[in-house]
Amino acid sequence: MTGQTSVVTTFPLKLRSLLTLVVLMFMPLLAACGFNTIPTNEEKAKAAWSEVLNQYQRRTDLIPNLVETVKGYAAHEQETLTAVIEARSKATQTQISPEMLNNPELFKQFQDNQANLSSALSRLMVVVEKYPDLKANQNFLALQSQLEGTENRIAVARRDYIEAVRVYNTGLKTMPTMLWKTLWFWNNEPMPTFTIDPASQAAPKVQFN
């Protein structure tokens, strides 16, 4: 009886060992056939999106000091200042982690909020043109430079994300990776990309020449 129990106990262990050996043997073949392409491209796209969020957050963090500096010279421009503050508030309300990228409604809301903030900042910079003393203020000049640099970083991060998503989405629709999606990665869906009017996402004009 003990011998039978030993056989029953060791058989699954031998089977698992055999299956593990088979998997290890076929791993190079699976990799060569593009098995790892979909998850690899997905992680690259998520990493690119994280950088987009990082740069948008960098811009968001600059705004309170920017508004306070402008207020010191143009406090009566209340409508414009309030628009920036409200746009910033809405932009911070909608946050999309890499795991939430497949929610098109949430993604569009995020885009629209960031576009509204860009527009509000642009209007603020137009107002600043009327105040020479403000334009010469060292604190404002430093904030202006940081804002301009951040807008450039946002543009680069968005471009890199768009390219990463293009590669990932293409892999889901083309061979041989399309085969792996059908057989294994059936839950993977195309990721969204930026589709709103580029003019509304243009960087605020912060150059004073």
Side-chain angles (χ1 to χ4, degrees):
M1 189 72 176
T2 303
Q4 291 179 348
T5 302
S6 177
V7 171
V8 171
T9 303
T10 57
F11 177 73
L13 293 175
K14 290 181 179 179
L15 180 60
R16 287 197 293 269
S17 298
L18 180 61
L19 290 174
T20 301
L21 181 61
V22 170
V23 170
L24 290 174
M25 289 175 59
F26 279 93
M27 279 185 68
L29 179 60
L30 292 175
C33 292
F35 179 80
N36 293 326
T37 300
I38 289 178
T40 298
N41 289 341
E42 181 182 25
E43 290 306 312
K44 288 181 178 179
K46 287 181 178 180
W49 176 251
S50 294
E51 183 59 19
V52 171
L53 293 180
N54 181 46
Q55 297 307 328
Y56 274 131
Q57 184 62 49
R58 181 187 178 95
R59 179 174 71 172
T60 299
D61 292 342
L62 286 172
I63 291 174
N65 286 338
L66 180 65
V67 169
E68 287 302 313
T69 301
V70 173
K71 188 186 298 184
Y73 288 82
H76 57 283
E77 301 283 356
Q78 193 60 45
E79 183 179 352
T80 303
L81 292 168
T82 300
V84 172
I85 295 170
E86 291 178 349
R88 178 186 184 273
S89 177
K90 288 183 179 179
T92 58
Q93 287 174 4
T94 305
Q95 296 296 324
I96 305 179
S97 68
E99 291 70 29
M100 299 166 61
L101 278 171
N102 286 324
N103 185 326
E105 292 81 12
L106 192 60
F107 189 84
K108 185 179 186 305
Q109 184 179 0
F110 176 87
Q111 291 185 89
D112 291 345
N113 289 343
Q114 294 296 339
N116 289 337
L117 180 53
S118 292
S119 178
L121 284 171
S122 294
R123 293 194 298 273
L124 179 63
M125 292 306 165
V126 170
V127 167
V128 167
E129 286 287 350
K130 299 187 294 184
Y131 300 91
D133 290 343
L134 172 58
K135 292 194 295 181
N137 177 272
Q138 291 301 312
N139 187 39
F140 176 77
L141 289 174
L143 290 168
Q144 169 201 335
S145 177
Q146 293 178 58
L147 179 60
E148 181 184 28
T150 300
E151 292 294 343
N152 289 335
R153 291 186 182 95
I154 288 173
V156 171
R158 281 162 48 92
R159 181 199 65 195
D160 292 345
Y161 169 74
I162 290 170
E163 175 60 17
V165 168
R166 184 194 68 78
V167 172
Y168 169 73
N169 288 349
T170 299
L172 297 180
K173 301 175 183 178
T174 57
M175 295 293 287
T177 47
M178 184 174 67
L179 180 62
W180 289 118
K181 171 176 169 51
T182 303
L183 297 176
W184 197 274
F185 302 105
W186 53 84
N187 288 328
N188 286 62
E189 297 296 335
M191 288 185 179
T193 189
F194 292 96
T195 56
I196 60 178
D197 182 6
S200 64
Q201 279 286 337
K205 303 299 182 182
V206 294
Q207 290 285 354
F208 300 105
N209 297 321

